[in-house]
Amino acid sequence: MKGTTQRKIEYGNLRLQCALAVQAILNFKTVEMPGEHGKGVFRVRLQPDVDAAQTAMGIQDMPVVLQEIKSDGSGAETPLFSGYPEKISFIKTGGYQEAELTVASGTVLYDRQERSRVFQMQEQSFGSIVRRMVGEMENGAFLLTVPDR
């Protein structure tokens, strides 16, 4: 769109809320592909005195939220991305302990739920519903290829 510009986000105004003791966000990207859940990849520097292996245990079900802190001094936070860790890698670089988190969007929770769809009236069958729909059409017909109940 003409005249529309993307607002620049400063790393200093970002906070990654998660179970890891994050000292700083070094890099991040978000990826969205058609038909897939969005993903976020975050590279962070951890607090110096943290045992990464101990911290990583049980983090898979803990939410990760990337927030922008308003620079107007109000302290208000705006969520930019939210999800759950899929993969965590720990790296030692130049005396610093870093982690790379691959996070699946929170929509992944919908796939974890079992769904059961039933008709509200249990005495209804597929045939009776289709008959009602097709019955209104002149010369309407249907061929039922599944069991009626």
Side-chain angles (χ1 to χ4, degrees), residues 20 30 37 59 100 106 109 111 123 132-133 149:
L20 292 175
T30 57
H37 296 284
I59 195 173
E100 185 170 288
L109 294 179
D111 289 348
E123 64 275 359
R132 203 171 336 135
M133 292 169 44
R149 295 231 177 235

Side-chain angles (χ1 to χ4, degrees), residues 101-114:
L101 289 91
T102 303
V103 180
S105 163
T107 57
V108 75
L109 294 179
Y110 292 121
D111 289 348
R112 292 181 185 171
Q113 295 175 354
E114 284 188 30

Side-chain angles (χ1 to χ4, degrees), residues 3-73:
T4 303
T5 58
Q6 204 170 18
R7 187 172 50 85
K8 187 176 181 180
I9 297 175
E10 299 289 333
Y11 277 82
N13 294 340
L14 294 178
R15 181 173 76 125
L16 191 67
Q17 183 180 338
C18 66
L20 292 175
V22 175
Q23 181 178 4
I25 299 171
L26 304 174
N27 192 1
F28 79 92
K29 69 177 177 179
T30 57
V31 180
E32 292 184 28
M33 301 294 290
E36 294 183 16
H37 296 284
K39 291 194 190 259
V41 180
F42 303 93
R43 179 107 178 204
V44 297
R45 179 168 293 147
L46 301 175
Q47 298 287 347
D49 54 349
V50 172
D51 180 5
Q54 184 68 28
T55 306
M57 297 180 88
I59 195 173
Q60 295 297 101
D61 294 325
M62 304 291 282
V64 174
V65 181
L66 179 67
Q67 298 172 323
E68 181 181 22
I69 301 168
K70 298 284 185 203
S71 56
D72 61 5

